[in-house]
């Protein structure tokens, strides 16, 4: 394939993967995009493979992360290209390991290794748009209960590799037939033998998909009636917090309205209520009006409420992003502080330099503090595991709180409303529900809020930029999944498998050159 054609195919591969993710949800395109990229890398040098994969990554991440443009077009493009840079070693590795027998397995393992690094380095990583997050309502989803998101990524990439392998086998068979003398029947068995690998690869794809359909999903658990409150914001965009009191008042009013509906018998009384991140950006510990408003709403509904609030650290130098358990009798009690604040959004690395170069970073006058303990807390009759906003994208943070009976994602999507980022976040929550066998309550300031069953089924889902209250009876569970017990082991094992394949391919190539 000519260089120009290869560039076009690599770019097309990245563009094909993009609509596999929400809001389009054309999920089969993820393995198809992987297959196309793999095909264009076969037979390339490591250097060429790296460049072609980077082009595919740029073509994928730029549209997939379009929601970041609300912060600034420059930030969006820079972040997209940084994410695409992780495809450089991926492409080089795929170009090498496709020279080995069984290469669809090794290429799939390399995708897991790429996501392992991207989700950790630098500044704690940015694991958005992992292959697994395109497969949150497909036959591959149940595999998450065994090996988490890394296993789903591996199987998605494996299907892509198998499709590529089948394509190679068909191409070789057609080439063999074309070279045969017309009418030479002796060549027909050879052609059929050449097609056998394609049949094996397609059968393996069917086995992977069919295996997922056979995995049972949980439905048992003690029923608990829950409520998720979405109070809405005055306006979307970066300046929505300029009306902090209005945001708090919206959530207070929605909770009073819920209490009135309960008293009227129109809805069941919840046993716990969840408010979103940034429901109160007035510190209730130091702002008497905020304290009174929240306390009045909690007393009115008469059950504990998890309140998302920004509070000052004791020294006043930083801000804490908290989920506070607010009891109708005793007021604010236990709390969780977000452990993974957003770099360049909630804290500034290299603050002294960047604030001089980029004036909009003045919107972050103080850094957010990093929490140092788990978000497992007692909320009413159950233990919940709380994560805040984009922490749901991180395996470790969610796994750490999965011992709660319910999982909670408190988030504020007002800045990124009406983009692809809120539905992508909901997709992550669906995968996490299956991965840990837990109901997940997603409370968003302006949407999308949702209640997700342990099998990943959507119990309820709000629209964006409207007030919404969701009430449902959901199972609270204690059983642990295999994914919980295995932890990071599947991810590291698969990543090391890919690294070992690269080393083997490099050694084989050097040995062949020596001969």
């Amino acid at each position: 394939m000519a260089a120009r054609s290869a560039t076009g195919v690599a770019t097309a591969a990245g563009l094909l993967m993009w609509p596999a993710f929400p809001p389009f949800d054309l999920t089969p395109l993820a393995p198809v995009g992987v297959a196309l990229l793999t095909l264009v890398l076969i037979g390339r040098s490591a250097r060429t493979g790296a460049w072609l994969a980077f082009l595919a990554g740029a073509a994928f991440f730029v549209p997939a992360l379009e929601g970041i443009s609300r912060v600034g077009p420059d930030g969006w493009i820079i972040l997209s290209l940084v994410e695409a840079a992780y495809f450089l070693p991926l492409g080089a590795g795929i170009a090498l390991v496709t020279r080995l027998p069984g290469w669809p397995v090794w290429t799939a393992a390399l995708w897991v290794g790429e996501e392992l690094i991207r989700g950790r380095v630098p500044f704690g990583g940015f694991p958005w748009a992992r292959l697994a997050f395109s497969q949150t309502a497909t036959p591959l989803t149940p595999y998450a209960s065994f090996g988490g998101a890394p296993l789903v990524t591996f199987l998605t990439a494996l299907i892509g590799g198998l499709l590529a392998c089948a394509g190679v086998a068909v191409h070789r068979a057609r080439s063999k037939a074309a070279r045969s003398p017309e009418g030479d029947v002796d060549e027909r068995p050879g052609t059929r033998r050449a097609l056998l690998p394609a049949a094996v690869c397609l059968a393996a794809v069917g086995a992977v998909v069919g295996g997922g359909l056979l995995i049972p999903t949980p439905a048992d658990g003690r029923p608990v009636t829950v409520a998720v409150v979405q109070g809405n914001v005055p306006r979307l965009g970066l300046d929505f917090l300029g009306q902090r009191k209005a945001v708090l008042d919206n959530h207070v009013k929605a909770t009073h309205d819920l209490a009135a509906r309960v008293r009227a018998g129109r809805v069941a009384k919840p046993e716990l209520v969840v408010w979103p991140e940034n429901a109160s950006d007035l510190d209730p510990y130091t702002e008497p009006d905020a304290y009174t408003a929240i306390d009045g709403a909690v007393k009115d509904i008469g059950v504990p409420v998890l309140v998302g609030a920004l509070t000052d650290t004791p020294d006043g130098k930083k801000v804490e992003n908290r989920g506070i358990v607010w009891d109708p009798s005793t007021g604010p009690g236990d709390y969780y502080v977000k452990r993974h604040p957003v770099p360049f959004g909630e804290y500034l690395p290299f603050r002294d330099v960047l604030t001089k170069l980029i004036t909009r970073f003045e919107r972050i006058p103080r850094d957010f503090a990093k929490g140092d303990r788990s978000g497992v807390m007692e909320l009413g009759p159950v233990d919940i595991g709380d994560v805040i906003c984009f922490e749901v994208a991180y395996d470790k943070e969610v796994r750490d709180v999965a011992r709660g009976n319910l999982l909670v994602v408190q988030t504020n999507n007002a800045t990124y409303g009406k983009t692809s980022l809120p539905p992508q976040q909901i997709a992550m929550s669906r995968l996490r529900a299956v991965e840990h066998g837990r109901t997940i309550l997603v409370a968003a300031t302006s949407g999308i809020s949702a209640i997700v069953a342990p099998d990943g089924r959507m119990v309820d889902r709000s629209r964006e930029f409207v007030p919404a209250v969701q009430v449902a009876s959901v199972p609270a569970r204690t059983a642990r999944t295999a994914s919980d017990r295995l932890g990071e082991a599947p991810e590291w094992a698969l990543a090391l498998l890919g690294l070992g394949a690269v080393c083997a391919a490099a050694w084989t190539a050097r040995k062949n050159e020596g001969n």
Side-chain angles (χ1 to χ4, degrees):
M1 186 183 298
R4 183 175 298 178
S5 298
T7 298
V9 173
T11 303
L15 289 173
L16 265 178
M17 289 191 291
W18 160 47
F21 291 78
F24 305 103
D25 292 314
L26 301 177
T27 54
L29 291 182
V32 171
V34 171
L36 193 59
L37 177 59
T38 305
L39 285 171
V40 81
L41 296 179
I42 293 174
R44 306 286 176 182
S45 67
R47 180 179 297 182
T48 302
W51 168 245
L52 291 173
F54 173 77
L55 291 178
F60 167 63
F61 284 112
V62 168
L65 301 180
E66 178 274 332
I68 303 296
S69 64
R70 295 291 178 84
V71 178
D74 53 349
W76 163 40
I77 297 300
I78 290 171
L79 177 61
S80 299
L81 295 180
V82 168
E83 294 292 285
Y86 291 89
F87 277 35
L88 288 165
L90 172 66
I94 291 175
L96 288 171
V97 302
T98 47
R99 304 168 189 175
L100 298 175
W103 55 261
V105 175
W106 322 135
T107 59
L110 287 174
W111 279 92
V112 177
E114 176 268 324
E115 291 184 354
L116 183 152
I117 297 170
R118 184 160 63 88
R120 290 170 171 82
V121 179
F123 310 118
F126 186 74
W128 212 270
R130 296 162 69 181
L131 281 182
F133 296 150
S134 71
Q135 305 296 309
T136 57
T138 76
L140 300 185
T141 309
Y143 285 104
S145 63
F146 288 101
L151 179 58
V152 178
T153 283
F154 175 79
L155 294 174
T156 305
L158 178 62
I159 290 175
L162 290 168
L163 293 175
C165 188
V168 169
V170 169
H171 175 73
R172 288 174 178 170
R174 292 184 63 182
S175 298
K176 182 179 180 65
R179 290 193 302 268
S180 301
E182 187 174 354
D184 187 350
V185 295
D186 292 337
E187 290 296 333
R188 292 175 186 171
T191 300
R192 286 195 292 269
R193 283 195 299 271
L195 285 172
L196 182 60
V200 172
C201 288
L202 294 178
V205 170
V208 171
V209 173
L213 294 173
L214 297 176
I215 298 174
T217 51
D220 61 315
R222 178 167 62 90
V224 176
T225 302
V226 302
V228 174
V229 174
Q230 175 180 304
N232 202 17
V233 299
R235 58 180 179 269
L236 78 166
L238 287 172
D239 292 325
F240 79 96
L241 290 178
Q243 298 186 33
R244 295 181 297 171
K245 187 175 186 303
V247 175
L248 173 57
D249 288 347
N250 286 350
H251 289 84
V252 168
K253 179 180 183 300
T255 305
H256 282 302
D257 290 345
L258 172 61
R261 291 166 58 201
V262 169
R263 286 191 291 270
R266 293 200 295 270
V267 296
K269 182 174 181 177
E271 297 169 78
L272 60 92
V273 177
V274 178
W275 284 12
E277 176 190 28
N278 292 121
S280 177
D281 282 349
L282 297 172
D283 185 344
Y285 299 104
T286 60
E287 298 274 355
D289 290 346
Y291 185 103
T292 300
I294 296 170
D295 198 55
V298 175
K299 281 182 165 59
D300 194 13
I301 193 61
V303 299
V305 178
L306 184 67
V307 177
L310 298 187
T311 66
D312 292 331
T313 55
D315 60 10
K317 294 181 178 179
K318 292 185 177 182
V319 181
E320 290 182 338
N321 193 344
R322 286 192 179 190
I324 306 169
V325 175
W326 204 293
D327 186 87
S329 300
T330 58
D334 201 2
Y335 62 88
Y336 167 66
V337 177
K338 186 176 182 180
R339 290 180 288 176
H340 208 303
V342 183
F344 307 101
E346 293 175 326
Y347 75 95
L348 276 183
F350 321 116
R351 171 177 288 275
D352 292 341
V353 175
L354 289 178
T355 50
K356 295 175 182 176
L357 297 174
I358 304 174
T359 57
R360 69 171 174 273
F361 281 148
E362 294 173 358
R363 295 176 183 270
I364 313 171
R366 292 186 294 168
D367 288 339
F368 278 56
K370 295 182 180 182
D372 57 7
R373 62 187 179 94
S374 164
V376 177
M377 302 176 287
E378 184 178 341
L379 185 67
V382 298
D383 287 339
I384 62 160
D386 187 23
V387 294
I388 297 178
C389 198
F390 91 143
E391 287 182 324
V392 72
Y394 293 85
D395 297 346
K396 183 176 183 291
E397 275 73 4
V398 183
R399 187 186 303 116
D400 187 49
V401 299
R403 63 182 184 275
N405 309 127
L406 305 173
L407 296 182
V408 172
V409 180
Q410 294 180 287
T411 187
N412 164 36
N413 291 327
T415 300
Y416 307 107
K418 304 296 184 180
T419 72
S420 62
L421 298 191
Q424 287 175 10
Q425 189 179 52
I426 290 294
M428 296 176 199
S429 297
R430 297 184 72 176
L431 187 74
R432 298 306 187 193
V434 176
E435 182 177 357
H436 302 292
R438 294 290 186 270
T439 298
I440 292 192
L441 312 179
V442 183
T445 316
S446 58
I448 303 168
S449 299
I451 298 175
V452 185
D455 59 2
R457 178 176 47 87
M458 296 291 289
V459 176
D460 204 347
R461 173 178 173 143
S462 75
R463 293 183 292 114
E464 290 187 80
F465 293 102
V466 294
V469 176
Q470 301 164 353
V471 180
S473 177
V474 300
R477 305 187 72 249
T478 57
R480 301 179 70 205
T481 64
S483 178
D484 290 326
R485 291 189 290 270
L486 292 172
E488 294 183 338
E491 182 179 29
W492 281 101
L494 290 169
L496 290 173
L497 181 68
L499 179 61
V502 169
C503 294
W507 180 82
T508 301
R510 180 171 296 183
K511 181 180 177 182
N512 291 338
E513 289 175 3
N515 294 334

